[in-house]
Amino acid sequence: MRWIKVKDYEELSEKAAEILMKQLESKPDSVIGLATGGTPIGMYQQLVSRYERGDISFARVTAFNLDEYIGMGKEQPESFHAYMEHHFFGHVDLSETSRHIPDGMAENLEEACEAYEADIQASGGIDLQVVGIGQNGHIGFNEPGTSFQSRTHVTELSASTRRANAKYFNGKEMPEQAITMGLQTIMKARSIVLLAYGHEKRKALDQLRTGTITESFPASCLHEHPNVTVLYGEESEGED
Ligand code: F6R
């Protein structure tokens, strides 16, 4: 695992965007795994600016998002479909048919999970996966106790995750379940970049660094992956 400390959120976002750009330079038809949440917003802003300057194209890229809440359609602003449209897809040339996000509205969720795995495989597999980390060590929505062998599945969100993400729901009821890529799905990516920013991630990062590999701390599976970069940093005093 390669650990890179950044001085501020801007640097985190720039470095993450650079890693993605390098990937696309070496393979313009890359398959990219994408995350939502607060942390990658700056990376998406960077990528959109670079696209608008003509420095990068996503025309040949295929994208797979990590997760989506169950019961949330794309018209709901809190859905990850809406997030991706707002922060990234709506601004770049990544074709609609090449954007994949788990279907939280599927009638048959089990079938939707299997189809998602099959689509990832059919694309040739993920070249570069972006992940964030939850305060409880989740990656995707693989909560503590999830099997390292897990594939795309339906998961119950933990109390810790629901507390942390309540801020995105403005007092509205938060879903209790999500569809998420599994830990095995994430581990099959050829390279992984983990983004973590802010003091509330310090404990999780400390635990990740100790290197104890256990299903009670899902991100610890990353120790067994040959190509993981952790970009991390914290606000300086007085900064939010
Ligand atoms: C998002 C996802 C989650 C987040 C994690 C951190 O697609 O899968 O694992 O990456 O909860 O979220 P933020 O960035 O909001 O702290």
mmCIF file with all atom_site columns, all heavy atoms in Angstrom, residues 59-75:
data_model
loop_
_atom_site.group_PDB
_atom_site.id
_atom_site.type_symbol
_atom_site.label_atom_id
_atom_site.label_alt_id
_atom_site.label_comp_id
_atom_site.label_asym_id
_atom_site.label_entity_id
_atom_site.label_seq_id
_atom_site.pdbx_PDB_ins_code
_atom_site.Cartn_x
_atom_site.Cartn_y
_atom_site.Cartn_z
_atom_site.occupancy
_atom_site.B_iso_or_equiv
_atom_site.pdbx_formal_charge
_atom_site.auth_seq_id
_atom_site.auth_comp_id
_atom_site.auth_asym_id
_atom_site.auth_atom_id
_atom_site.pdbx_PDB_model_num
ATOM 1   N N   . ALA A 1 59 ? -14.691 9.693  -23.565 1.00 0.00 ? 59 ALA A N   1
ATOM 2   C CA  . ALA A 1 59 ? -15.547 9.120  -24.611 1.00 0.00 ? 59 ALA A CA  1
ATOM 3   C C   . ALA A 1 59 ? -15.415 7.601  -24.712 1.00 0.00 ? 59 ALA A C   1
ATOM 4   O O   . ALA A 1 59 ? -16.358 6.923  -25.097 1.00 0.00 ? 59 ALA A O   1
ATOM 5   C CB  . ALA A 1 59 ? -15.232 9.774  -25.949 1.00 0.00 ? 59 ALA A CB  1
ATOM 6   N N   . ARG A 1 60 ? -14.234 7.085  -24.374 1.00 0.00 ? 60 ARG A N   1
ATOM 7   C CA  . ARG A 1 60 ? -14.042 5.628  -24.529 1.00 0.00 ? 60 ARG A CA  1
ATOM 8   C C   . ARG A 1 60 ? -14.066 4.896  -23.190 1.00 0.00 ? 60 ARG A C   1
ATOM 9   O O   . ARG A 1 60 ? -13.808 3.699  -23.111 1.00 0.00 ? 60 ARG A O   1
ATOM 10  C CB  . ARG A 1 60 ? -12.723 5.381  -25.260 1.00 0.00 ? 60 ARG A CB  1
ATOM 11  C CG  . ARG A 1 60 ? -12.773 5.927  -26.698 1.00 0.00 ? 60 ARG A CG  1
ATOM 12  C CD  . ARG A 1 60 ? -11.442 5.788  -27.395 1.00 0.00 ? 60 ARG A CD  1
ATOM 13  N NE  . ARG A 1 60 ? -11.027 4.398  -27.516 1.00 0.00 ? 60 ARG A NE  1
ATOM 14  C CZ  . ARG A 1 60 ? -9.783  4.010  -27.787 1.00 0.00 ? 60 ARG A CZ  1
ATOM 15  N NH1 . ARG A 1 60 ? -8.839  4.908  -27.973 1.00 0.00 ? 60 ARG A NH1 1
ATOM 16  N NH2 . ARG A 1 60 ? -9.489  2.731  -27.874 1.00 0.00 ? 60 ARG A NH2 1
ATOM 17  N N   . VAL A 1 61 ? -14.375 5.652  -22.123 1.00 0.00 ? 61 VAL A N   1
ATOM 18  C CA  . VAL A 1 61 ? -14.341 5.079  -20.763 1.00 0.00 ? 61 VAL A CA  1
ATOM 19  C C   . VAL A 1 61 ? -15.645 4.348  -20.442 1.00 0.00 ? 61 VAL A C   1
ATOM 20  O O   . VAL A 1 61 ? -16.712 4.734  -20.906 1.00 0.00 ? 61 VAL A O   1
ATOM 21  C CB  . VAL A 1 61 ? -14.109 6.221  -19.742 1.00 0.00 ? 61 VAL A CB  1
ATOM 22  C CG1 . VAL A 1 61 ? -14.354 5.759  -18.316 1.00 0.00 ? 61 VAL A CG1 1
ATOM 23  C CG2 . VAL A 1 61 ? -12.706 6.799  -19.898 1.00 0.00 ? 61 VAL A CG2 1
ATOM 24  N N   . THR A 1 62 ? -15.523 3.300  -19.652 1.00 0.00 ? 62 THR A N   1
ATOM 25  C CA  . THR A 1 62 ? -16.695 2.648  -19.066 1.00 0.00 ? 62 THR A CA  1
ATOM 26  C C   . THR A 1 62 ? -16.608 2.860  -17.556 1.00 0.00 ? 62 THR A C   1
ATOM 27  O O   . THR A 1 62 ? -15.525 2.720  -16.977 1.00 0.00 ? 62 THR A O   1
ATOM 28  C CB  . THR A 1 62 ? -16.677 1.134  -19.374 1.00 0.00 ? 62 THR A CB  1
ATOM 29  O OG1 . THR A 1 62 ? -16.644 0.968  -20.786 1.00 0.00 ? 62 THR A OG1 1
ATOM 30  C CG2 . THR A 1 62 ? -17.914 0.444  -18.815 1.00 0.00 ? 62 THR A CG2 1
ATOM 31  N N   . ALA A 1 63 ? -17.725 3.218  -16.933 1.00 0.00 ? 63 ALA A N   1
ATOM 32  C CA  . ALA A 1 63 ? -17.692 3.517  -15.496 1.00 0.00 ? 63 ALA A CA  1
ATOM 33  C C   . ALA A 1 63 ? -18.672 2.631  -14.730 1.00 0.00 ? 63 ALA A C   1
ATOM 34  O O   . ALA A 1 63 ? -19.788 2.368  -15.200 1.00 0.00 ? 63 ALA A O   1
ATOM 35  C CB  . ALA A 1 63 ? -18.047 4.986  -15.272 1.00 0.00 ? 63 ALA A CB  1
ATOM 36  N N   . PHE A 1 64 ? -18.237 2.192  -13.581 1.00 0.00 ? 64 PHE A N   1
ATOM 37  C CA  . PHE A 1 64 ? -19.091 1.424  -12.665 1.00 0.00 ? 64 PHE A CA  1
ATOM 38  C C   . PHE A 1 64 ? -19.040 2.069  -11.290 1.00 0.00 ? 64 PHE A C   1
ATOM 39  O O   . PHE A 1 64 ? -17.959 2.170  -10.696 1.00 0.00 ? 64 PHE A O   1
ATOM 40  C CB  . PHE A 1 64 ? -18.595 -0.027 -12.545 1.00 0.00 ? 64 PHE A CB  1
ATOM 41  C CG  . PHE A 1 64 ? -18.895 -0.860 -13.752 1.00 0.00 ? 64 PHE A CG  1
ATOM 42  C CD1 . PHE A 1 64 ? -17.955 -0.987 -14.768 1.00 0.00 ? 64 PHE A CD1 1
ATOM 43  C CD2 . PHE A 1 64 ? -20.112 -1.513 -13.881 1.00 0.00 ? 64 PHE A CD2 1
ATOM 44  C CE1 . PHE A 1 64 ? -18.228 -1.751 -15.899 1.00 0.00 ? 64 PHE A CE1 1
ATOM 45  C CE2 . PHE A 1 64 ? -20.394 -2.273 -15.004 1.00 0.00 ? 64 PHE A CE2 1
ATOM 46  C CZ  . PHE A 1 64 ? -19.448 -2.395 -16.012 1.00 0.00 ? 64 PHE A CZ  1
ATOM 47  N N   . ASN A 1 65 ? -20.187 2.499  -10.799 1.00 0.00 ? 65 ASN A N   1
ATOM 48  C CA  . ASN A 1 65 ? -20.208 3.051  -9.441  1.00 0.00 ? 65 ASN A CA  1
ATOM 49  C C   . ASN A 1 65 ? -20.273 1.938  -8.395  1.00 0.00 ? 65 ASN A C   1
ATOM 50  O O   . ASN A 1 65 ? -20.757 0.847  -8.660  1.00 0.00 ? 65 ASN A O   1
ATOM 51  C CB  . ASN A 1 65 ? -21.396 3.992  -9.269  1.00 0.00 ? 65 ASN A CB  1
ATOM 52  C CG  . ASN A 1 65 ? -20.987 5.413  -9.531  1.00 0.00 ? 65 ASN A CG  1
ATOM 53  O OD1 . ASN A 1 65 ? -20.792 5.786  -10.679 1.00 0.00 ? 65 ASN A OD1 1
ATOM 54  N ND2 . ASN A 1 65 ? -20.816 6.194  -8.478  1.00 0.00 ? 65 ASN A ND2 1
ATOM 55  N N   . LEU A 1 66 ? -19.777 2.272  -7.224  1.00 0.00 ? 66 LEU A N   1
ATOM 56  C CA  . LEU A 1 66 ? -19.727 1.286  -6.149  1.00 0.00 ? 66 LEU A CA  1
ATOM 57  C C   . LEU A 1 66 ? -21.099 0.884  -5.635  1.00 0.00 ? 66 LEU A C   1
ATOM 58  O O   . LEU A 1 66 ? -21.319 -0.278 -5.308  1.00 0.00 ? 66 LEU A O   1
ATOM 59  C CB  . LEU A 1 66 ? -18.977 1.886  -4.946  1.00 0.00 ? 66 LEU A CB  1
ATOM 60  C CG  . LEU A 1 66 ? -17.466 1.950  -5.002  1.00 0.00 ? 66 LEU A CG  1
ATOM 61  C CD1 . LEU A 1 66 ? -16.956 2.849  -3.872  1.00 0.00 ? 66 LEU A CD1 1
ATOM 62  C CD2 . LEU A 1 66 ? -16.867 0.552  -4.866  1.00 0.00 ? 66 LEU A CD2 1
ATOM 63  N N   . ASP A 1 67 ? -22.017 1.864  -5.518  1.00 0.00 ? 67 ASP A N   1
ATOM 64  C CA  . ASP A 1 67 ? -23.217 1.552  -4.739  1.00 0.00 ? 67 ASP A CA  1
ATOM 65  C C   . ASP A 1 67 ? -24.376 2.501  -5.018  1.00 0.00 ? 67 ASP A C   1
ATOM 66  O O   . ASP A 1 67 ? -24.200 3.543  -5.676  1.00 0.00 ? 67 ASP A O   1
ATOM 67  C CB  . ASP A 1 67 ? -22.895 1.542  -3.236  1.00 0.00 ? 67 ASP A CB  1
ATOM 68  C CG  . ASP A 1 67 ? -21.898 2.640  -2.844  1.00 0.00 ? 67 ASP A CG  1
ATOM 69  O OD1 . ASP A 1 67 ? -21.831 3.658  -3.551  1.00 0.00 ? 67 ASP A OD1 1
ATOM 70  O OD2 . ASP A 1 67 ? -21.185 2.471  -1.848  1.00 0.00 ? 67 ASP A OD2 1
ATOM 71  N N   . GLU A 1 68 ? -25.519 2.130  -4.523  1.00 0.00 ? 68 GLU A N   1
ATOM 72  C CA  . GLU A 1 68 ? -26.722 2.967  -4.595  1.00 0.00 ? 68 GLU A CA  1
ATOM 73  C C   . GLU A 1 68 ? -27.675 2.541  -3.473  1.00 0.00 ? 68 GLU A C   1
ATOM 74  O O   . GLU A 1 68 ? -27.719 1.365  -3.094  1.00 0.00 ? 68 GLU A O   1
ATOM 75  C CB  . GLU A 1 68 ? -27.408 2.808  -5.955  1.00 0.00 ? 68 GLU A CB  1
ATOM 76  C CG  . GLU A 1 68 ? -28.718 3.578  -6.141  1.00 0.00 ? 68 GLU A CG  1
ATOM 77  C CD  . GLU A 1 68 ? -28.593 5.097  -5.977  1.00 0.00 ? 68 GLU A CD  1
ATOM 78  O OE1 . GLU A 1 68 ? -28.484 5.549  -4.815  1.00 0.00 ? 68 GLU A OE1 1
ATOM 79  O OE2 . GLU A 1 68 ? -28.615 5.810  -7.008  1.00 0.00 ? 68 GLU A OE2 1
ATOM 80  N N   . TYR A 1 69 ? -28.400 3.514  -2.948  1.00 0.00 ? 69 TYR A N   1
ATOM 81  C CA  . TYR A 1 69 ? -29.401 3.205  -1.921  1.00 0.00 ? 69 TYR A CA  1
ATOM 82  C C   . TYR A 1 69 ? -30.567 2.450  -2.535  1.00 0.00 ? 69 TYR A C   1
ATOM 83  O O   . TYR A 1 69 ? -30.964 2.737  -3.672  1.00 0.00 ? 69 TYR A O   1
ATOM 84  C CB  . TYR A 1 69 ? -29.945 4.505  -1.320  1.00 0.00 ? 69 TYR A CB  1
ATOM 85  C CG  . TYR A 1 69 ? -28.932 5.295  -0.547  1.00 0.00 ? 69 TYR A CG  1
ATOM 86  C CD1 . TYR A 1 69 ? -28.497 6.535  -1.003  1.00 0.00 ? 69 TYR A CD1 1
ATOM 87  C CD2 . TYR A 1 69 ? -28.420 4.805  0.651   1.00 0.00 ? 69 TYR A CD2 1
ATOM 88  C CE1 . TYR A 1 69 ? -27.569 7.275  -0.290  1.00 0.00 ? 69 TYR A CE1 1
ATOM 89  C CE2 . TYR A 1 69 ? -27.485 5.547  1.374   1.00 0.00 ? 69 TYR A CE2 1
ATOM 90  C CZ  . TYR A 1 69 ? -27.074 6.778  0.895   1.00 0.00 ? 69 TYR A CZ  1
ATOM 91  O OH  . TYR A 1 69 ? -26.153 7.502  1.606   1.00 0.00 ? 69 TYR A OH  1
ATOM 92  N N   . ILE A 1 70 ? -31.130 1.546  -1.776  1.00 0.00 ? 70 ILE A N   1
ATOM 93  C CA  . ILE A 1 70 ? -32.319 0.828  -2.236  1.00 0.00 ? 70 ILE A CA  1
ATOM 94  C C   . ILE A 1 70 ? -33.546 1.715  -2.035  1.00 0.00 ? 70 ILE A C   1
ATOM 95  O O   . ILE A 1 70 ? -33.700 2.365  -0.996  1.00 0.00 ? 70 ILE A O   1
ATOM 96  C CB  . ILE A 1 70 ? -32.444 -0.532 -1.518  1.00 0.00 ? 70 ILE A CB  1
ATOM 97  C CG1 . ILE A 1 70 ? -31.366 -1.461 -2.098  1.00 0.00 ? 70 ILE A CG1 1
ATOM 98  C CG2 . ILE A 1 70 ? -33.842 -1.144 -1.705  1.00 0.00 ? 70 ILE A CG2 1
ATOM 99  C CD1 . ILE A 1 70 ? -31.294 -2.811 -1.510  1.00 0.00 ? 70 ILE A CD1 1
ATOM 100 N N   . GLY A 1 71 ? -34.375 1.759  -3.080  1.00 0.00 ? 71 GLY A N   1
ATOM 101 C CA  . GLY A 1 71 ? -35.594 2.562  -3.015  1.00 0.00 ? 71 GLY A CA  1
ATOM 102 C C   . GLY A 1 71 ? -35.394 3.995  -3.498  1.00 0.00 ? 71 GLY A C   1
ATOM 103 O O   . GLY A 1 71 ? -36.284 4.819  -3.385  1.00 0.00 ? 71 GLY A O   1
ATOM 104 N N   . MET A 1 72 ? -34.204 4.276  -4.019  1.00 0.00 ? 72 MET A N   1
ATOM 105 C CA  . MET A 1 72 ? -33.937 5.643  -4.487  1.00 0.00 ? 72 MET A CA  1
ATOM 106 C C   . MET A 1 72 ? -33.775 5.660  -6.000  1.00 0.00 ? 72 MET A C   1
ATOM 107 O O   . MET A 1 72 ? -32.860 5.038  -6.549  1.00 0.00 ? 72 MET A O   1
ATOM 108 C CB  . MET A 1 72 ? -32.625 6.151  -3.896  1.00 0.00 ? 72 MET A CB  1
ATOM 109 C CG  . MET A 1 72 ? -32.696 6.414  -2.429  1.00 0.00 ? 72 MET A CG  1
ATOM 110 S SD  . MET A 1 72 ? -32.326 8.137  -2.159  1.00 0.00 ? 72 MET A SD  1
ATOM 111 C CE  . MET A 1 72 ? -33.518 8.497  -0.932  1.00 0.00 ? 72 MET A CE  1
ATOM 112 N N   . GLY A 1 73 ? -34.659 6.381  -6.651  1.00 0.00 ? 73 GLY A N   1
ATOM 113 C CA  . GLY A 1 73 ? -34.577 6.521  -8.103  1.00 0.00 ? 73 GLY A CA  1
ATOM 114 C C   . GLY A 1 73 ? -33.751 7.744  -8.461  1.00 0.00 ? 73 GLY A C   1
ATOM 115 O O   . GLY A 1 73 ? -33.443 8.575  -7.593  1.00 0.00 ? 73 GLY A O   1
ATOM 116 N N   . LYS A 1 74 ? -33.417 7.860  -9.747  1.00 0.00 ? 74 LYS A N   1
ATOM 117 C CA  . LYS A 1 74 ? -32.514 8.941  -10.160 1.00 0.00 ? 74 LYS A CA  1
ATOM 118 C C   . LYS A 1 74 ? -33.117 10.335 -9.995  1.00 0.00 ? 74 LYS A C   1
ATOM 119 O O   . LYS A 1 74 ? -32.406 11.315 -9.918  1.00 0.00 ? 74 LYS A O   1
ATOM 120 C CB  . LYS A 1 74 ? -32.007 8.776  -11.594 1.00 0.00 ? 74 LYS A CB  1
ATOM 121 C CG  . LYS A 1 74 ? -32.924 8.138  -12.609 1.00 0.00 ? 74 LYS A CG  1
ATOM 122 C CD  . LYS A 1 74 ? -32.214 8.157  -13.944 1.00 0.00 ? 74 LYS A CD  1
ATOM 123 C CE  . LYS A 1 74 ? -32.426 7.008  -14.849 1.00 0.00 ? 74 LYS A CE  1
ATOM 124 N NZ  . LYS A 1 74 ? -32.207 5.674  -14.584 1.00 0.00 ? 74 LYS A NZ  1
ATOM 125 N N   . GLU A 1 75 ? -34.464 10.397 -9.882  1.00 0.00 ? 75 GLU A N   1
ATOM 126 C CA  . GLU A 1 75 ? -35.096 11.713 -9.712  1.00 0.00 ? 75 GLU A CA  1
ATOM 127 C C   . GLU A 1 75 ? -34.953 12.207 -8.271  1.00 0.00 ? 75 GLU A C   1
ATOM 128 O O   . GLU A 1 75 ? -35.232 13.373 -7.990  1.00 0.00 ? 75 GLU A O   1
ATOM 129 C CB  . GLU A 1 75 ? -36.568 11.665 -10.158 1.00 0.00 ? 75 GLU A CB  1
ATOM 130 C CG  . GLU A 1 75 ? -37.517 10.814 -9.336  1.00 0.00 ? 75 GLU A CG  1
ATOM 131 C CD  . GLU A 1 75 ? -37.225 9.307  -9.368  1.00 0.00 ? 75 GLU A CD  1
ATOM 132 O OE1 . GLU A 1 75 ? -36.511 8.829  -10.279 1.00 0.00 ? 75 GLU A OE1 1
ATOM 133 O OE2 . GLU A 1 75 ? -37.694 8.605  -8.455  1.00 0.00 ? 75 GLU A OE2 1
#
